[in-house]
Amino acid sequence: MEKIVVKGGSKLSGKIKISAAKNSVLPIIAGSILSGGRCVIENAPMLEDVFVISDVLKSVSAETVIDKENSRILIDTSNISYGEPSSELVRKMRASFLIMGPMIARFGRFKISLPGGCNIGTRPIDLHLKGLTALGAEVSIGHGYVEAVANRLIGNKVYLDFPSVGATENIMMAAVFADGETIIENSAEEPEIEDLAKFLNNMGAIIEGAGTDTIKITGVKSLRGTVHKPICDRIEAGTFMVAGAITRSKVEVVGVNEEHLKPIIAKLTEMGVSLELGEDSIIVDGTKILKPVDIKTMPYPGFPTDMQAQMMSLLCTVKGTSVITETIFENRFMHAQELKRMGANIKIDGRSAVVEGVDMLTGSEVKATDLRAGAALILAGLASEGETVISDIYHIDRGYVDIENKFKGLGADIKRIEA
Ligand code: EPZ
C-alpha cells in the first residue's frame, strides 16, 4: 500500500501549472454518449476517476482511448449500443451515475446500480430522478438498481429543491433530445456546469443560462462530435494557494481563471494573504501575519465545500478562533480527527467546527478519509514539525494528478513510498 511522507518546515517557492478540472471532465465524458460521432477531450487530467468513467463508457460499447502521451481522451460513440455498466464500476465512483441522463436520452431506457454513498455523506439521487420523471421517464428502484424507461422524453419545467451539481448535469443531458423546451430552475451554477453546456452546445445542443440558477434546454434531433478543452481545476488551484499560505511562502498558480476562484480569493484576502492577480495566474504571498476567519460552505458562487478541509488545515495554524460551517455534506469533517492527531485544536459541533490556531502542528501518522481531506493532510504536513505519513492516498490520486511531484516542484520535502 502506498503512502505519502511529508517532512514539514520547508518554505515553498516557484510556479505550479494547474490541471484541467476533474469535475468538468467527468460529466463531459458522460455527455459524449449523446454525440453520434467522435469527441476528443484535450489536456485531460490523467486521473483514476477519468479512467473509471472511460471504462464505464466501454461497458456500453463506446470506444474510448486514453492517450496519456498527449493527455487526451478519444471517444467514439458512433457504434454505441445499449448496455448496463457493472455495479462494481458504478460503486467505485458515483460520478458514473452521470451516464444515466445521456443513456436515457439516447436509448429511451437505462438501468444502473444505485451509486453508493461515501464517507462524506449518503449522496442521495432523488433530485436526479425527480428531473427524469418530470421529462416523462418511468423510474423504478429495486434490488439495488434504478431503472428509467421513456418512449419519448418531453420537455418540462423542473425545480431543484437543492442546486445539486450532479442532478443539474444529468437532467440537462437527459433533456438534450427531449421534445420542446426544458427549464431547470434553482439549477447549480458551478463553472463545471457551464463547461459541460459549452461542450454540448459545440456538439449542436441548444442550452442557455448554464452558470445561472435557470437553464433552458431546447430539444434537438442529434449531436455531432467535437473537440473540447476543459476549464482548469479551481479546487486544485485553491489547494496550492492554501499551500503558499500555510507555509507562509510565496508561490504562483498558473493557468487559472480568477472568476472561478472569487470565493477562495475573497476568503484568503480576508485572512491577510496577499494575492496578485495576473492574466491567468495568481501570485500568493502568505508571509504576512494571518488572521482567523469564519467560513460557511455554500453552492457556487459561495465558498466551495471541496475547499473546506484545506482551509481547516490552514486555520489550524492561524492564531485565534475560526468557525467553519459545512452546509453541503452531512459528514465532511472526518479530517478534523486526523488533524487533531497532529496537535490541532478543533471542536466539532454538528455542522460546525471551532478551530483554535496552535503555534505548531506536529507530524504524525494519519489517514486520508476522502479526496480533499487527503490534500488537507498534505498541507498540514507541510506546516508541521517533523514527519507526517499519510495512508489511504488512493483517495488523493482520484482528484490530483501527480500531487507529490507538484509539491516537490515548489520545494516541499515530500515523497511517495511503498509501505
Ligand atoms: C459534485 O458532487 C462534485 N463531484 C463534488 O466534488 C462536490 O463536492 C459537489 O458537487 C458539491 O459541489 C463531481 O462533480 C463529480 P451535489 P455531487 O449533487 O453532484 C444533496 C470532489 O471532492 N443531494 O451538488 O454529488 C447531497 O446529499 C467531489 O471533487 C440531494 O439531496 O454534489 C449533498 O448534500 C466531492 N439529492 C448536496 O445535495 C440529490 O439528488 C450536494 O450534492 C443530489 C444531491
Side-chain angles (χ1 to χ4, degrees), residues 22-23 26 94-95 98 120 122-128 162-167 169 190 305-306 328-330 332 371-372:
K22 163 180 84 83
N23 291 349
L26 295 178
R94 55 184 320 286
L98 289 171
I120 62 177
T122 52
R123 314 292 294 268
I125 55 165
D126 56 305
L127 297 175
H128 298 242
F162 181 88
S164 153
V165 171
E169 291 166 342
E190 271 72 1
T305 173
D306 291 349
I328 307 294
F329 290 106
E330 67 267 30
R332 203 170 196 175
L371 158 59
R372 308 301 173 184

PDB file of all heavy atoms in Angstrom, residues 22-23 26 94-95 98 120 122-128 162-167 169 190 305-306 328-330 332 371-372, ligand 1:
ATOM      1  N   LYS A  22     -11.275  17.986 -12.892  1.00  0.00           N
ATOM      2  CA  LYS A  22     -11.848  16.625 -12.809  1.00  0.00           C
ATOM      3  C   LYS A  22     -13.374  16.710 -12.899  1.00  0.00           C
ATOM      4  O   LYS A  22     -14.003  15.974 -13.646  1.00  0.00           O
ATOM      5  CB  LYS A  22     -11.459  15.992 -11.481  1.00  0.00           C
ATOM      6  CG  LYS A  22     -12.294  14.787 -11.084  1.00  0.00           C
ATOM      7  CD  LYS A  22     -11.884  14.178  -9.779  1.00  0.00           C
ATOM      8  CE  LYS A  22     -12.475  14.834  -8.577  1.00  0.00           C
ATOM      9  NZ  LYS A  22     -13.829  14.394  -8.220  1.00  0.00           N
ATOM     10  N   ASN A  23     -13.963  17.645 -12.163  1.00  0.00           N
ATOM     11  CA  ASN A  23     -15.424  17.701 -12.071  1.00  0.00           C
ATOM     12  C   ASN A  23     -16.081  18.328 -13.295  1.00  0.00           C
ATOM     13  O   ASN A  23     -17.304  18.432 -13.360  1.00  0.00           O
ATOM     14  CB  ASN A  23     -15.853  18.413 -10.790  1.00  0.00           C
ATOM     15  CG  ASN A  23     -15.513  17.560  -9.578  1.00  0.00           C
ATOM     16  OD1 ASN A  23     -15.152  16.385  -9.704  1.00  0.00           O
ATOM     17  ND2 ASN A  23     -15.576  18.151  -8.399  1.00  0.00           N
ATOM     18  N   LEU A  26     -15.403  14.702 -16.008  1.00  0.00           N
ATOM     19  CA  LEU A  26     -16.249  13.519 -15.762  1.00  0.00           C
ATOM     20  C   LEU A  26     -17.626  13.665 -16.427  1.00  0.00           C
ATOM     21  O   LEU A  26     -18.031  12.794 -17.219  1.00  0.00           O
ATOM     22  CB  LEU A  26     -16.372  13.247 -14.264  1.00  0.00           C
ATOM     23  CG  LEU A  26     -15.062  12.855 -13.563  1.00  0.00           C
ATOM     24  CD1 LEU A  26     -15.280  12.650 -12.069  1.00  0.00           C
ATOM     25  CD2 LEU A  26     -14.448  11.604 -14.170  1.00  0.00           C
ATOM     26  N   ARG A  94     -19.133   7.268  -7.884  1.00  0.00           N
ATOM     27  CA  ARG A  94     -20.530   7.625  -8.019  1.00  0.00           C
ATOM     28  C   ARG A  94     -20.781   8.542  -9.221  1.00  0.00           C
ATOM     29  O   ARG A  94     -21.895   8.624  -9.714  1.00  0.00           O
ATOM     30  CB  ARG A  94     -21.082   8.216  -6.749  1.00  0.00           C
ATOM     31  CG  ARG A  94     -20.354   9.390  -6.190  1.00  0.00           C
ATOM     32  CD  ARG A  94     -20.949   9.820  -4.885  1.00  0.00           C
ATOM     33  NE  ARG A  94     -22.396   9.766  -4.867  1.00  0.00           N
ATOM     34  CZ  ARG A  94     -23.191  10.626  -5.481  1.00  0.00           C
ATOM     35  NH1 ARG A  94     -22.679  11.568  -6.200  1.00  0.00           N
ATOM     36  NH2 ARG A  94     -24.501  10.520  -5.396  1.00  0.00           N
ATOM     37  N   ALA A  95     -19.748   9.193  -9.731  1.00  0.00           N
ATOM     38  CA  ALA A  95     -19.969  10.080 -10.892  1.00  0.00           C
ATOM     39  C   ALA A  95     -20.367   9.260 -12.119  1.00  0.00           C
ATOM     40  O   ALA A  95     -20.870   9.796 -13.097  1.00  0.00           O
ATOM     41  CB  ALA A  95     -18.711  10.892 -11.182  1.00  0.00           C
ATOM     42  N   LEU A  98     -23.630   9.714 -13.792  1.00  0.00           N
ATOM     43  CA  LEU A  98     -23.894  10.803 -14.749  1.00  0.00           C
ATOM     44  C   LEU A  98     -24.171  10.276 -16.157  1.00  0.00           C
ATOM     45  O   LEU A  98     -24.550  11.030 -17.039  1.00  0.00           O
ATOM     46  CB  LEU A  98     -22.708  11.770 -14.773  1.00  0.00           C
ATOM     47  CG  LEU A  98     -22.534  12.637 -13.521  1.00  0.00           C
ATOM     48  CD1 LEU A  98     -21.211  13.395 -13.566  1.00  0.00           C
ATOM     49  CD2 LEU A  98     -23.704  13.594 -13.353  1.00  0.00           C
ATOM     50  N   ILE A 120     -18.352  11.070   2.887  1.00  0.00           N
ATOM     51  CA  ILE A 120     -18.780  12.439   3.261  1.00  0.00           C
ATOM     52  C   ILE A 120     -20.295  12.570   3.351  1.00  0.00           C
ATOM     53  O   ILE A 120     -20.797  13.593   3.803  1.00  0.00           O
ATOM     54  CB  ILE A 120     -18.212  13.498   2.278  1.00  0.00           C
ATOM     55  CG1 ILE A 120     -18.722  13.279   0.846  1.00  0.00           C
ATOM     56  CG2 ILE A 120     -16.692  13.517   2.317  1.00  0.00           C
ATOM     57  CD1 ILE A 120     -18.226  14.354  -0.126  1.00  0.00           C
ATOM     58  N   THR A 122     -24.526  10.552   2.501  1.00  0.00           N
ATOM     59  CA  THR A 122     -25.348   9.492   1.888  1.00  0.00           C
ATOM     60  C   THR A 122     -25.475   9.691   0.382  1.00  0.00           C
ATOM     61  O   THR A 122     -25.757   8.767  -0.353  1.00  0.00           O
ATOM     62  CB  THR A 122     -26.775   9.529   2.479  1.00  0.00           C
ATOM     63  OG1 THR A 122     -27.240  10.882   2.355  1.00  0.00           O
ATOM     64  CG2 THR A 122     -26.773   9.111   3.931  1.00  0.00           C
ATOM     65  N   ARG A 123     -25.268  10.901  -0.073  1.00  0.00           N
ATOM     66  CA  ARG A 123     -25.257  11.208  -1.513  1.00  0.00           C
ATOM     67  C   ARG A 123     -26.528  10.682  -2.220  1.00  0.00           C
ATOM     68  O   ARG A 123     -26.482   9.822  -3.087  1.00  0.00           O
ATOM     69  CB  ARG A 123     -24.002  10.647  -2.190  1.00  0.00           C
ATOM     70  CG  ARG A 123     -22.692  10.896  -1.473  1.00  0.00           C
ATOM     71  CD  ARG A 123     -22.225  12.327  -1.416  1.00  0.00           C
ATOM     72  NE  ARG A 123     -21.886  12.910  -2.676  1.00  0.00           N
ATOM     73  CZ  ARG A 123     -20.654  12.895  -3.201  1.00  0.00           C
ATOM     74  NH1 ARG A 123     -19.701  12.250  -2.578  1.00  0.00           N
ATOM     75  NH2 ARG A 123     -20.419  13.480  -4.358  1.00  0.00           N
ATOM     76  N   PRO A 124     -27.708  11.115  -1.820  1.00  0.00           N
ATOM     77  CA  PRO A 124     -28.945  10.636  -2.453  1.00  0.00           C
ATOM     78  C   PRO A 124     -29.043  11.075  -3.919  1.00  0.00           C
ATOM     79  O   PRO A 124     -28.286  11.934  -4.367  1.00  0.00           O
ATOM     80  CB  PRO A 124     -30.048  11.295  -1.631  1.00  0.00           C
ATOM     81  CG  PRO A 124     -29.423  12.486  -1.032  1.00  0.00           C
ATOM     82  CD  PRO A 124     -27.986  12.142  -0.808  1.00  0.00           C
ATOM     83  N   ILE A 125     -29.963  10.475  -4.665  1.00  0.00           N
ATOM     84  CA  ILE A 125     -30.141  10.834  -6.087  1.00  0.00           C
ATOM     85  C   ILE A 125     -31.590  11.227  -6.377  1.00  0.00           C
ATOM     86  O   ILE A 125     -32.022  11.245  -7.533  1.00  0.00           O
ATOM     87  CB  ILE A 125     -29.735   9.657  -7.009  1.00  0.00           C
ATOM     88  CG1 ILE A 125     -30.517   8.382  -6.621  1.00  0.00           C
ATOM     89  CG2 ILE A 125     -28.235   9.419  -6.983  1.00  0.00           C
ATOM     90  CD1 ILE A 125     -30.469   7.294  -7.663  1.00  0.00           C
ATOM     91  N   ASP A 126     -32.330  11.559  -5.315  1.00  0.00           N
ATOM     92  CA  ASP A 126     -33.758  11.867  -5.506  1.00  0.00           C
ATOM     93  C   ASP A 126     -33.992  13.003  -6.487  1.00  0.00           C
ATOM     94  O   ASP A 126     -34.943  12.958  -7.293  1.00  0.00           O
ATOM     95  CB  ASP A 126     -34.408  12.187  -4.158  1.00  0.00           C
ATOM     96  CG  ASP A 126     -33.694  13.334  -3.441  1.00  0.00           C
ATOM     97  OD1 ASP A 126     -32.460  13.234  -3.246  1.00  0.00           O
ATOM     98  OD2 ASP A 126     -34.348  14.345  -3.125  1.00  0.00           O
ATOM     99  N   LEU A 127     -33.107  14.005  -6.513  1.00  0.00           N
ATOM    100  CA  LEU A 127     -33.318  15.152  -7.412  1.00  0.00           C
ATOM    101  C   LEU A 127     -33.037  14.762  -8.871  1.00  0.00           C
ATOM    102  O   LEU A 127     -33.718  15.228  -9.787  1.00  0.00           O
ATOM    103  CB  LEU A 127     -32.449  16.332  -6.983  1.00  0.00           C
ATOM    104  CG  LEU A 127     -32.773  16.881  -5.589  1.00  0.00           C
ATOM    105  CD1 LEU A 127     -31.788  17.976  -5.191  1.00  0.00           C
ATOM    106  CD2 LEU A 127     -34.214  17.382  -5.515  1.00  0.00           C
ATOM    107  N   HIS A 128     -32.050  13.859  -9.053  1.00  0.00           N
ATOM    108  CA  HIS A 128     -31.800  13.358 -10.415  1.00  0.00           C
ATOM    109  C   HIS A 128     -33.078  12.695 -10.940  1.00  0.00           C
ATOM    110  O   HIS A 128     -33.525  12.939 -12.053  1.00  0.00           O
ATOM    111  CB  HIS A 128     -30.691  12.290 -10.411  1.00  0.00           C
ATOM    112  CG  HIS A 128     -29.346  12.761  -9.938  1.00  0.00           C
ATOM    113  ND1 HIS A 128     -28.227  12.753 -10.719  1.00  0.00           N
ATOM    114  CD2 HIS A 128     -28.941  13.200  -8.725  1.00  0.00           C
ATOM    115  CE1 HIS A 128     -27.178  13.196 -10.031  1.00  0.00           C
ATOM    116  NE2 HIS A 128     -27.588  13.471  -8.818  1.00  0.00           N
ATOM    117  N   PHE A 162     -32.713  21.521  -4.157  1.00  0.00           N
ATOM    118  CA  PHE A 162     -31.355  21.944  -3.785  1.00  0.00           C
ATOM    119  C   PHE A 162     -30.572  22.058  -5.087  1.00  0.00           C
ATOM    120  O   PHE A 162     -30.747  21.226  -5.979  1.00  0.00           O
ATOM    121  CB  PHE A 162     -30.702  20.906  -2.855  1.00  0.00           C
ATOM    122  CG  PHE A 162     -29.305  21.313  -2.435  1.00  0.00           C
ATOM    123  CD1 PHE A 162     -29.108  22.098  -1.308  1.00  0.00           C
ATOM    124  CD2 PHE A 162     -28.202  20.944  -3.205  1.00  0.00           C
ATOM    125  CE1 PHE A 162     -27.822  22.504  -0.947  1.00  0.00           C
ATOM    126  CE2 PHE A 162     -26.925  21.346  -2.851  1.00  0.00           C
ATOM    127  CZ  PHE A 162     -26.728  22.127  -1.715  1.00  0.00           C
ATOM    128  N   PRO A 163     -29.739  23.076  -5.257  1.00  0.00           N
ATOM    129  CA  PRO A 163     -28.992  23.233  -6.513  1.00  0.00           C
ATOM    130  C   PRO A 163     -27.893  22.160  -6.648  1.00  0.00           C
ATOM    131  O   PRO A 163     -26.706  22.456  -6.573  1.00  0.00           O
ATOM    132  CB  PRO A 163     -28.411  24.641  -6.430  1.00  0.00           C
ATOM    133  CG  PRO A 163     -28.311  24.926  -4.980  1.00  0.00           C
ATOM    134  CD  PRO A 163     -29.414  24.181  -4.305  1.00  0.00           C
ATOM    135  N   SER A 164     -28.344  20.921  -6.832  1.00  0.00           N
ATOM    136  CA  SER A 164     -27.409  19.800  -6.934  1.00  0.00           C
ATOM    137  C   SER A 164     -26.640  19.858  -8.250  1.00  0.00           C
ATOM    138  O   SER A 164     -27.236  19.968  -9.334  1.00  0.00           O
ATOM    139  CB  SER A 164     -28.208  18.482  -6.882  1.00  0.00           C
ATOM    140  OG  SER A 164     -27.526  17.442  -7.549  1.00  0.00           O
ATOM    141  N   VAL A 165     -25.308  19.749  -8.151  1.00  0.00           N
ATOM    142  CA  VAL A 165     -24.451  19.774  -9.347  1.00  0.00           C
ATOM    143  C   VAL A 165     -24.779  18.578 -10.244  1.00  0.00           C
ATOM    144  O   VAL A 165     -25.115  18.729 -11.422  1.00  0.00           O
ATOM    145  CB  VAL A 165     -22.965  19.750  -8.945  1.00  0.00           C
ATOM    146  CG1 VAL A 165     -22.050  19.565 -10.139  1.00  0.00           C
ATOM    147  CG2 VAL A 165     -22.605  21.022  -8.183  1.00  0.00           C
ATOM    148  N   GLY A 166     -24.737  17.386  -9.680  1.00  0.00           N
ATOM    149  CA  GLY A 166     -24.957  16.177 -10.474  1.00  0.00           C
ATOM    150  C   GLY A 166     -26.350  16.111 -11.064  1.00  0.00           C
ATOM    151  O   GLY A 166     -26.539  15.724 -12.228  1.00  0.00           O
ATOM    152  N   ALA A 167     -27.347  16.506 -10.274  1.00  0.00           N
ATOM    153  CA  ALA A 167     -28.728  16.457 -10.783  1.00  0.00           C
ATOM    154  C   ALA A 167     -28.902  17.449 -11.937  1.00  0.00           C
ATOM    155  O   ALA A 167     -29.509  17.119 -12.963  1.00  0.00           O
ATOM    156  CB  ALA A 167     -29.713  16.767  -9.662  1.00  0.00           C
ATOM    157  N   GLU A 169     -26.626  18.403 -14.008  1.00  0.00           N
ATOM    158  CA  GLU A 169     -25.926  17.845 -15.176  1.00  0.00           C
ATOM    159  C   GLU A 169     -26.709  16.700 -15.808  1.00  0.00           C
ATOM    160  O   GLU A 169     -26.909  16.654 -17.028  1.00  0.00           O
ATOM    161  CB  GLU A 169     -24.527  17.369 -14.754  1.00  0.00           C
ATOM    162  CG  GLU A 169     -23.603  18.533 -14.391  1.00  0.00           C
ATOM    163  CD  GLU A 169     -22.343  18.116 -13.656  1.00  0.00           C
ATOM    164  OE1 GLU A 169     -22.284  16.977 -13.106  1.00  0.00           O
ATOM    165  OE2 GLU A 169     -21.410  18.939 -13.596  1.00  0.00           O
ATOM    166  N   GLU A 190     -22.287  26.089 -10.768  1.00  0.00           N
ATOM    167  CA  GLU A 190     -20.842  25.837 -10.787  1.00  0.00           C
ATOM    168  C   GLU A 190     -20.262  26.023 -12.189  1.00  0.00           C
ATOM    169  O   GLU A 190     -20.934  25.701 -13.190  1.00  0.00           O
ATOM    170  CB  GLU A 190     -20.561  24.418 -10.290  1.00  0.00           C
ATOM    171  CG  GLU A 190     -20.376  24.283  -8.779  1.00  0.00           C
ATOM    172  CD  GLU A 190     -21.658  24.448  -7.964  1.00  0.00           C
ATOM    173  OE1 GLU A 190     -22.732  24.661  -8.547  1.00  0.00           O
ATOM    174  OE2 GLU A 190     -21.565  24.389  -6.724  1.00  0.00           O
ATOM    175  N   THR A 305     -17.440  23.668  -0.867  1.00  0.00           N
ATOM    176  CA  THR A 305     -17.251  22.607   0.118  1.00  0.00           C
ATOM    177  C   THR A 305     -15.959  21.827  -0.166  1.00  0.00           C
ATOM    178  O   THR A 305     -15.315  21.328   0.766  1.00  0.00           O
ATOM    179  CB  THR A 305     -18.453  21.643   0.131  1.00  0.00           C
ATOM    180  OG1 THR A 305     -18.169  20.545   0.987  1.00  0.00           O
ATOM    181  CG2 THR A 305     -18.758  21.097  -1.263  1.00  0.00           C
ATOM    182  N   ASP A 306     -15.555  21.760  -1.433  1.00  0.00           N
ATOM    183  CA  ASP A 306     -14.358  20.991  -1.788  1.00  0.00           C
ATOM    184  C   ASP A 306     -13.071  21.680  -1.349  1.00  0.00           C
ATOM    185  O   ASP A 306     -11.995  21.111  -1.496  1.00  0.00           O
ATOM    186  CB  ASP A 306     -14.303  20.754  -3.302  1.00  0.00           C
ATOM    187  CG  ASP A 306     -15.386  19.804  -3.739  1.00  0.00           C
ATOM    188  OD1 ASP A 306     -16.020  19.182  -2.872  1.00  0.00           O
ATOM    189  OD2 ASP A 306     -15.632  19.708  -4.953  1.00  0.00           O
ATOM    190  N   ILE A 328     -23.124  21.724   2.949  1.00  0.00           N
ATOM    191  CA  ILE A 328     -23.412  20.909   1.762  1.00  0.00           C
ATOM    192  C   ILE A 328     -23.496  19.421   2.093  1.00  0.00           C
ATOM    193  O   ILE A 328     -24.452  18.752   1.722  1.00  0.00           O
ATOM    194  CB  ILE A 328     -22.336  21.137   0.670  1.00  0.00           C
ATOM    195  CG1 ILE A 328     -22.179  22.630   0.360  1.00  0.00           C
ATOM    196  CG2 ILE A 328     -22.667  20.317  -0.590  1.00  0.00           C
ATOM    197  CD1 ILE A 328     -23.391  23.286  -0.272  1.00  0.00           C
ATOM    198  N   PHE A 329     -22.492  18.887   2.783  1.00  0.00           N
ATOM    199  CA  PHE A 329     -22.492  17.446   3.097  1.00  0.00           C
ATOM    200  C   PHE A 329     -22.609  17.241   4.602  1.00  0.00           C
ATOM    201  O   PHE A 329     -22.088  18.019   5.393  1.00  0.00           O
ATOM    202  CB  PHE A 329     -21.208  16.784   2.573  1.00  0.00           C
ATOM    203  CG  PHE A 329     -21.160  16.689   1.068  1.00  0.00           C
ATOM    204  CD1 PHE A 329     -20.334  17.511   0.329  1.00  0.00           C
ATOM    205  CD2 PHE A 329     -21.987  15.788   0.390  1.00  0.00           C
ATOM    206  CE1 PHE A 329     -20.304  17.440  -1.053  1.00  0.00           C
ATOM    207  CE2 PHE A 329     -21.966  15.710  -0.990  1.00  0.00           C
ATOM    208  CZ  PHE A 329     -21.120  16.543  -1.716  1.00  0.00           C
ATOM    209  N   GLU A 330     -23.280  16.136   4.956  1.00  0.00           N
ATOM    210  CA  GLU A 330     -23.585  15.933   6.381  1.00  0.00           C
ATOM    211  C   GLU A 330     -22.429  15.347   7.183  1.00  0.00           C
ATOM    212  O   GLU A 330     -22.468  15.289   8.384  1.00  0.00           O
ATOM    213  CB  GLU A 330     -24.839  15.059   6.533  1.00  0.00           C
ATOM    214  CG  GLU A 330     -24.726  13.620   6.074  1.00  0.00           C
ATOM    215  CD  GLU A 330     -25.181  13.428   4.624  1.00  0.00           C
ATOM    216  OE1 GLU A 330     -25.036  14.371   3.829  1.00  0.00           O
ATOM    217  OE2 GLU A 330     -25.623  12.313   4.299  1.00  0.00           O
ATOM    218  N   ARG A 332     -18.657  15.834   6.551  1.00  0.00           N
ATOM    219  CA  ARG A 332     -17.423  16.212   5.863  1.00  0.00           C
ATOM    220  C   ARG A 332     -16.414  16.868   6.812  1.00  0.00           C
ATOM    221  O   ARG A 332     -15.709  17.798   6.442  1.00  0.00           O
ATOM    222  CB  ARG A 332     -17.733  17.117   4.668  1.00  0.00           C
ATOM    223  CG  ARG A 332     -16.595  17.063   3.646  1.00  0.00           C
ATOM    224  CD  ARG A 332     -16.879  17.726   2.343  1.00  0.00           C
ATOM    225  NE  ARG A 332     -15.889  17.285   1.361  1.00  0.00           N
ATOM    226  CZ  ARG A 332     -15.889  17.605   0.083  1.00  0.00           C
ATOM    227  NH1 ARG A 332     -16.838  18.385  -0.397  1.00  0.00           N
ATOM    228  NH2 ARG A 332     -14.967  17.153  -0.743  1.00  0.00           N
ATOM    229  N   LEU A 371     -11.047  12.490  -0.746  1.00  0.00           N
ATOM    230  CA  LEU A 371     -10.135  13.168  -1.666  1.00  0.00           C
ATOM    231  C   LEU A 371      -9.578  14.481  -1.121  1.00  0.00           C
ATOM    232  O   LEU A 371      -8.375  14.696  -1.029  1.00  0.00           O
ATOM    233  CB  LEU A 371     -10.923  13.381  -2.956  1.00  0.00           C
ATOM    234  CG  LEU A 371     -10.550  14.421  -3.954  1.00  0.00           C
ATOM    235  CD1 LEU A 371      -9.156  14.192  -4.453  1.00  0.00           C
ATOM    236  CD2 LEU A 371     -11.529  14.366  -5.109  1.00  0.00           C
ATOM    237  N   ARG A 372     -10.449  15.358  -0.671  1.00  0.00           N
ATOM    238  CA  ARG A 372      -9.988  16.687  -0.245  1.00  0.00           C
ATOM    239  C   ARG A 372      -9.368  16.625   1.161  1.00  0.00           C
ATOM    240  O   ARG A 372      -8.473  17.392   1.480  1.00  0.00           O
ATOM    241  CB  ARG A 372     -11.139  17.694  -0.298  1.00  0.00           C
ATOM    242  CG  ARG A 372     -11.861  17.720  -1.626  1.00  0.00           C
ATOM    243  CD  ARG A 372     -10.949  18.056  -2.790  1.00  0.00           C
ATOM    244  NE  ARG A 372     -11.660  17.912  -4.065  1.00  0.00           N
ATOM    245  CZ  ARG A 372     -11.107  18.059  -5.245  1.00  0.00           C
ATOM    246  NH1 ARG A 372      -9.832  18.303  -5.333  1.00  0.00           N
ATOM    247  NH2 ARG A 372     -11.801  17.890  -6.347  1.00  0.00           N
TER     248      ARG A 372
HETATM  249  C1  EPZ B   1     -20.338  17.343  -7.102  1.00  0.00           C
HETATM  250  O1  EPZ B   1     -20.872  16.214  -6.418  1.00  0.00           O
HETATM  251  C2  EPZ B   1     -18.830  17.162  -7.060  1.00  0.00           C
HETATM  252  N1  EPZ B   1     -18.471  15.924  -7.763  1.00  0.00           N
HETATM  253  C3  EPZ B   1     -18.350  17.109  -5.610  1.00  0.00           C
HETATM  254  O2  EPZ B   1     -16.925  17.038  -5.633  1.00  0.00           O
HETATM  255  C4  EPZ B   1     -18.757  18.406  -4.911  1.00  0.00           C
HETATM  256  O3  EPZ B   1     -18.371  18.336  -3.560  1.00  0.00           O
HETATM  257  C5  EPZ B   1     -20.280  18.580  -5.026  1.00  0.00           C
HETATM  258  O4  EPZ B   1     -20.679  18.566  -6.413  1.00  0.00           O
HETATM  259  C6  EPZ B   1     -20.754  19.884  -4.420  1.00  0.00           C
HETATM  260  O5  EPZ B   1     -20.124  20.960  -5.050  1.00  0.00           O
HETATM  261  C7  EPZ B   1     -18.434  15.930  -9.115  1.00  0.00           C
HETATM  262  O6  EPZ B   1     -18.728  16.925  -9.767  1.00  0.00           O
HETATM  263  C8  EPZ B   1     -18.033  14.649  -9.765  1.00  0.00           C
HETATM  264  P1  EPZ B   1     -24.440  17.602  -5.272  1.00  0.00           P
HETATM  265  P2  EPZ B   1     -22.477  15.937  -6.472  1.00  0.00           P
HETATM  266  O7  EPZ B   1     -25.406  16.756  -6.005  1.00  0.00           O
HETATM  267  O8  EPZ B   1     -23.007  16.288  -7.803  1.00  0.00           O
HETATM  268  C9  EPZ B   1     -27.604  16.697  -1.917  1.00  0.00           C
HETATM  269  C10 EPZ B   1     -14.817  16.287  -5.049  1.00  0.00           C
HETATM  270  O9  EPZ B   1     -14.196  16.338  -3.986  1.00  0.00           O
HETATM  271  N2  EPZ B   1     -28.348  15.991  -2.977  1.00  0.00           N
HETATM  272  O10 EPZ B   1     -24.344  19.054  -5.598  1.00  0.00           O
HETATM  273  O11 EPZ B   1     -22.716  14.571  -5.957  1.00  0.00           O
HETATM  274  C11 EPZ B   1     -26.398  15.880  -1.477  1.00  0.00           C
HETATM  275  O12 EPZ B   1     -26.768  14.964  -0.474  1.00  0.00           O
HETATM  276  C12 EPZ B   1     -16.277  15.902  -5.041  1.00  0.00           C
HETATM  277  O13 EPZ B   1     -14.333  16.559  -6.182  1.00  0.00           O
HETATM  278  C13 EPZ B   1     -29.647  15.551  -2.696  1.00  0.00           C
HETATM  279  O14 EPZ B   1     -30.157  15.739  -1.597  1.00  0.00           O
HETATM  280  O15 EPZ B   1     -22.973  17.001  -5.403  1.00  0.00           O
HETATM  281  C14 EPZ B   1     -25.454  16.902  -0.941  1.00  0.00           C
HETATM  282  O16 EPZ B   1     -25.795  17.165   0.407  1.00  0.00           O
HETATM  283  C15 EPZ B   1     -16.759  15.555  -3.660  1.00  0.00           C
HETATM  284  N3  EPZ B   1     -30.330  14.887  -3.669  1.00  0.00           N
HETATM  285  C16 EPZ B   1     -25.760  18.150  -1.782  1.00  0.00           C
HETATM  286  O17 EPZ B   1     -27.004  17.894  -2.449  1.00  0.00           O
HETATM  287  C17 EPZ B   1     -29.790  14.649  -4.906  1.00  0.00           C
HETATM  288  O18 EPZ B   1     -30.478  14.055  -5.770  1.00  0.00           O
HETATM  289  C18 EPZ B   1     -24.711  18.439  -2.830  1.00  0.00           C
HETATM  290  O19 EPZ B   1     -24.699  17.381  -3.704  1.00  0.00           O
HETATM  291  C19 EPZ B   1     -28.475  15.094  -5.160  1.00  0.00           C
HETATM  292  C20 EPZ B   1     -27.774  15.766  -4.184  1.00  0.00           C
END
